[in-house]
Amino acid sequence: NIKAGLTDYEHSEIEGGATGTVFKNDTSEMRLDLMHKDLNEWHGGLSVHYKNSDVAAQGEEAFTPPSTTEMFALALMEERHFGDVLVQLGARIERISLQANEVLLPHLEAHDHDDEAHSEDDHAVDHAVDHTDEEHSDEEHADEETQVFAIDRQFTPISLSAGLVWDFAAGYNLGLS
């Protein structure tokens, strides 16, 4: 079996007749399932899955940075009947890459030094924060204090699954996963 899809999604939130936030998602995806002949009464197959997504939100309510995610996965699924009980097993390994070039980290206020109950760790955080000139307002420093950085991360999630399905009466079963 082969499945493929393309998504070209966009919507705008209109507020008072004007465009507020615009959300976009362009995704391409393909999945190939290769079934094998029964082996010792086990039947199942291998699945190969690829997905690439470009996601962006622009405007007042855009709380996530534009990003590109690419995923490649291999999965093995097997099942076998033992009388009235079906045993199901599965395993999946993925390689996920996430890139975002405009991640924003706004300035975070430190706690007040008048608080006697703070720990050494709290004190270290206070001194790590960029203390600004108190003569200027927070608004004047907002752009200076927001850090912009890029991320490029890879992840390798591994999933295992098992299930039992008991056909205890005609048309009825009980499952455990």
Side-chain angles (χ1 to χ4, degrees):
N1 294 324
I2 188 168
K3 295 179 184 178
L6 293 172
T7 301
D8 184 4
Y9 174 82
E10 180 176 328
H11 89 261
S12 300
E13 301 214 349
I14 308 299
E15 300 171 12
T19 300
T21 305
V22 177
F23 298 91
K24 296 179 183 181
N25 180 0
D26 294 325
T27 299
S28 58
E29 184 171 12
M30 187 168 84
R31 180 174 167 165
L32 175 65
D33 295 325
L34 303 166
M35 307 308 286
H36 64 73
K37 291 183 179 182
D38 284 0
L39 181 63
N40 283 345
E41 298 183 43
W42 286 91
H43 56 277
L46 180 70
S47 178
V48 180
H49 190 187
Y50 173 81
K51 184 176 181 179
N52 183 297
S53 294
D54 288 320
V55 177
Q58 298 172 325
E60 289 271 329
E61 296 177 8
F63 299 112
T64 59
S67 65
T68 299
T69 304
E70 187 173 45
M71 183 273 303
F72 180 76
L74 292 173
L76 180 63
M77 298 139 303
E78 298 291 333
E79 63 182 20
R80 181 177 175 197
H81 276 95
F82 293 90
D84 291 340
V85 177
L86 175 65
V87 175
Q88 300 173 315
L89 302 173
R92 180 178 169 105
I93 184 168
E94 301 178 50
R95 182 63 175 172
I96 300 172
S97 171
L98 172 65
Q99 296 176 326
N101 293 325
E102 298 175 19
V103 178
L104 304 177
L105 180 62
H107 173 72
L108 301 173
E109 288 294 322
H111 71 279
D112 189 354
H113 280 282
D114 291 337
D115 182 7
E116 294 292 327
H118 67 278
S119 70
E120 289 298 319
D121 290 337
D122 293 337
H123 189 67
V125 170
D126 287 344
H127 291 288
V129 174
D130 179 26
H131 293 283
T132 60
D133 184 0
E134 293 182 17
E135 293 178 19
H136 299 287
S137 72
D138 288 341
E139 292 171 6
E140 290 172 335
H141 288 288
D143 291 337
E144 295 171 22
E145 296 170 352
T146 298
Q147 297 178 21
V148 179
F149 59 97
I151 64 166
D152 186 356
R153 301 281 194 268
Q154 284 78 39
F155 306 94
T156 307
I158 297 172
S159 303
L160 301 173
S161 65
L164 298 172
V165 180
W166 174 38
D167 293 322
F168 63 89
Y172 295 92
N173 61 41
L174 180 63
L176 176 67
S177 297

